[in-house]
């Protein structure tokens, strides 16, 4: 993660005794070897105070990051879309995305943030209804904050015996976010969203999805445009590419296996569609992601 100053060279953070700078050396973070093969692992919790006019740049970020403003607001710019995140909300930075976090020139922001990785995290995020979402209004902000603070405490102690509890807290956090997501009111749309999520690895047409939901393709298109601002085809394509970005974060998975997991029968077709969506090839995306990943801290060893 790159930390930058504003063009006016304002300092990004207020650093004081009760504020933790948003850098890995000051966050509560831990990545034991056992965690690298788990379905999900909450790797860090950070406390940050931004000064007015500050911003942070994430380039091909290698984790899913979740931003919780406590005082003041954040603006997240991702894929040319700006979203305001207020207290009581969570902003989501999706793995592999480029994004920018801003505060206003008049007000700063105090926040909590936590980051997750995991070999199955992309699928879990999609199943939780969080795929493509940048903002979630929390049903119970106090509970989520308590979970994050508990996670911060366990990560700070770095005890091998706590690995199951830490992974469990990660699932609790995602469950709380999933329960906060406003599901589509139309049952046909909800069914279509679920069918798209479970059919990411399969070659399935929008007309077949529509038939399974007992609507015409035209009606399904209208429902998707009303809810998501895009066609079912675009929604499914974006869901596949988001899943692919998550899978490419695992350097041990061959690109041909990534292609198969997102519904492509050959690497060439997958690479062509990925380049259309991301502007670079899957291998170049993986290389940049690897370069953006920080080196392991020698203090992160077990024992």
């Amino acid at each position: 993660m790159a930390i930058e100053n504003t063009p006016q060279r304002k300092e990004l953070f207020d650093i004081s005794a009760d504020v933790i700078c948003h850098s890995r050396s000051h966050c509560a973070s831990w990545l034991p070897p056992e965690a690298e093969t788990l379905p999900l692992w909450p790797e860090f919790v950070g406390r940050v105070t931004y000064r007015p006019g500050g911003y942070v740049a994430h380039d091909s970020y290698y984790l899913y990051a979740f931003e919780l403003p406590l005082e003041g607001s954040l603006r997240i710019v991702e894929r040319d879309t700006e979203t305001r995140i207020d207290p009581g909300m969570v902003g989501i930075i999706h793995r592999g995305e480029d994004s920018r976090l801003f505060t206003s020139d008049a007000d700063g922001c105090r926040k909590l943030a936590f980051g997750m990785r995991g070999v199955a995290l992309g699928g879990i995020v999609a199943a939780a209804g969080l795929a493509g979402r940048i903002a979630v209004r929390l049903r119970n902000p106090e509970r989520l904050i308590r979970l994050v603070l508990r996670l911060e405490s366990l990560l700070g102690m770095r005890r091998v015996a706590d690995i199951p509890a830490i992974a469990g807290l990660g699932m609790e956090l995602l469950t709380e976010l999933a329960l906060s997501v406003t599901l589509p009111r139309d049952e046909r749309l909800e069914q279509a969203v679920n069918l798209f999520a479970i059919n990411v690895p399969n070659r399935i047409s929008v007309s077949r999805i529509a038939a399974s939901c007992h609507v015409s393709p035209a009606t399904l298109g209208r429902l998707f445009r009303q809810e998501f601002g895009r066609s079912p085809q675009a929604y499914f394509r974006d869901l596949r590419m988001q899943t692919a970005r998550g899978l490419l974060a695992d350097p041990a998975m061959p690109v041909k296996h990534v292609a198969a997991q997102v519904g492509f029968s050959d690497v060439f077709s997958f690479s062509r569609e990925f380049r259309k969506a991301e502007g670079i090839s899957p291998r170049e995306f993986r290389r940049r992601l690897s370069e953006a990943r920080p080196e392991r801290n020698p203090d992160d060893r077990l024992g």
Side-chain angles (χ1 to χ4, degrees), residues 239-302:
L239 182 59
R240 279 178 160 170
M241 291 301 104
Q242 180 175 322
T243 304
R245 291 194 299 271
L247 294 173
L248 287 167
D250 178 4
M253 179 174 283
V255 173
K256 66 178 182 180
H257 291 172
V258 174
Q261 287 296 311
V262 294
F264 290 88
S265 58
D266 62 88
V267 173
F268 177 78
S269 298
F270 167 63
S271 297
R272 182 182 58 203
E273 290 302 313
F274 191 89
R275 187 182 291 274
K276 284 182 183 178
E278 305 297 330
I280 56 176
S281 70
R283 288 184 173 84
E284 175 64 13
F285 176 86
R286 173 172 277 172
R287 185 187 68 78
R288 293 185 185 183
L289 205 60
S290 177
E291 290 177 352
R293 182 179 290 115
E295 294 183 4
R296 290 283 299 277
N297 189 325
D299 291 335
D300 286 350
R301 61 185 180 275
L302 296 176

Side-chain angles (χ1 to χ4, degrees), residues 31-286:
L31 181 59
E34 293 88 341
E36 296 192 28
T37 57
L38 292 178
L40 67 85
W41 177 256
E43 185 173 330
F44 78 85
V45 173
R47 299 175 186 239
V48 185
T49 296
Y50 296 103
R51 285 186 174 177
Y55 73 95
V56 173
H58 298 84
D59 296 318
S60 297
Y61 199 52
Y62 76 105
L63 300 175
Y64 282 92
F66 302 85
E67 310 283 337
L68 291 78
L70 303 176
E71 296 176 3
S73 299
L74 286 174
R75 290 178 293 127
I76 296 179
V77 179
E78 187 173 302
R79 291 196 170 193
D80 298 322
T81 299
E82 181 174 311
T83 305
R84 176 174 169 141
I85 311 297
D86 295 315
M89 301 173 67
V90 169
I92 304 174
I93 297 171
H94 292 269
R95 181 165 58 188
E97 293 281 2
D98 295 344
S99 61
R100 300 291 183 269
L101 276 67
F102 293 84
T103 61
S104 71
D105 288 332
D107 302 303
C109 178
R110 185 169 64 88
K111 73 170 187 179
L112 284 173
F114 62 95
M116 290 195 188
R117 65 163 66 228
V119 296
L121 187 54
I124 295 171
V125 166
L130 302 172
R133 292 183 183 269
I134 299 176
V136 174
R137 185 167 295 280
L138 297 169
R139 64 168 193 151
N140 190 339
E142 293 78 12
R143 170 170 165 73
L144 193 77
I145 290 170
R146 287 197 300 270
L147 290 172
V148 173
L149 295 178
R150 173 62 176 157
L151 174 62
E152 179 186 45
S153 175
L154 291 179
L155 287 174
M157 290 186 283
R158 297 187 176 186
R159 297 185 304 208
V160 176
D162 289 332
I163 288 177
I166 292 171
L169 275 172
M171 185 59 77
E172 281 194 69
L173 287 164
L174 289 178
T175 299
E176 189 63 33
L177 291 175
L179 292 172
S180 298
V181 170
T182 302
L183 295 175
R185 294 182 178 179
D186 192 297
E187 292 183 0
R188 300 167 299 176
L189 180 58
E190 183 177 344
Q191 183 181 3
V193 167
N194 290 334
L195 287 172
F196 278 132
I198 64 178
N199 279 288
V200 165
N202 302 321
R203 298 175 64 85
I204 189 168
S205 66
V206 170
S207 59
R208 186 174 172 186
I209 294 288
S212 298
C213 299
H214 306 290
V215 297
S216 68
T219 298
L220 189 65
R222 176 177 56 79
L223 292 172
F224 266 79
R225 288 185 177 88
Q226 287 176 345
E227 181 68 25
F228 301 110
R230 50 189 162 163
S231 68
Q233 292 89 340
Y235 176 90
F236 194 31
R237 181 178 62 248
D238 291 348
L239 182 59
R240 279 178 160 170
M241 291 301 104
Q242 180 175 322
T243 304
R245 291 194 299 271
L247 294 173
L248 287 167
D250 178 4
M253 179 174 283
V255 173
K256 66 178 182 180
H257 291 172
V258 174
Q261 287 296 311
V262 294
F264 290 88
S265 58
D266 62 88
V267 173
F268 177 78
S269 298
F270 167 63
S271 297
R272 182 182 58 203
E273 290 302 313
F274 191 89
R275 187 182 291 274
K276 284 182 183 178
E278 305 297 330
I280 56 176
S281 70
R283 288 184 173 84
E284 175 64 13
F285 176 86
R286 173 172 277 172

